[in-house]
């Protein structure tokens, strides 16, 4: 979880697709509990919005 926190803290403003993908990669390594799934869902929504631009 420390890696995801470092990634998120390094982002100033809206994350790029690459930054979002890096966070998703880190989250995929964690156990699939409700909080992790909620974070993954949120990042996938952000990624979809970034891809639509």
């Amino acid at each position: 979880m420390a890696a995801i926190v470092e990634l998120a803290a390094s982002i100033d403003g809206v994350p790029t697709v690459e930054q979002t993908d890096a966070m998703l990669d880190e989250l995929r390594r964690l156990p699939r509990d409700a909080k992790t799934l909620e974070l993954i869902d949120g990042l996938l929504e952000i990624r979809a919005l970034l891809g639509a631009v």
Side-chain angles (χ1 to χ4, degrees), residues 25-42:
D25 286 342
E26 290 299 322
L27 286 172
R28 286 186 184 112
R29 297 176 188 170
L30 298 176
R32 295 294 172 106
D33 61 13
K35 189 61 176 174
T36 302
L37 292 174
E38 181 182 340
L39 291 169
I40 289 172
D41 287 345

Side-chain angles (χ1 to χ4, degrees), residues 10-30:
S10 70
I11 298 170
D12 185 33
V14 177
T16 64
V17 171
E18 292 79 16
Q19 290 168 323
T20 304
D21 287 345
M23 288 186 280
L24 285 167
D25 286 342
E26 290 299 322
L27 286 172
R28 286 186 184 112
R29 297 176 188 170
L30 298 176

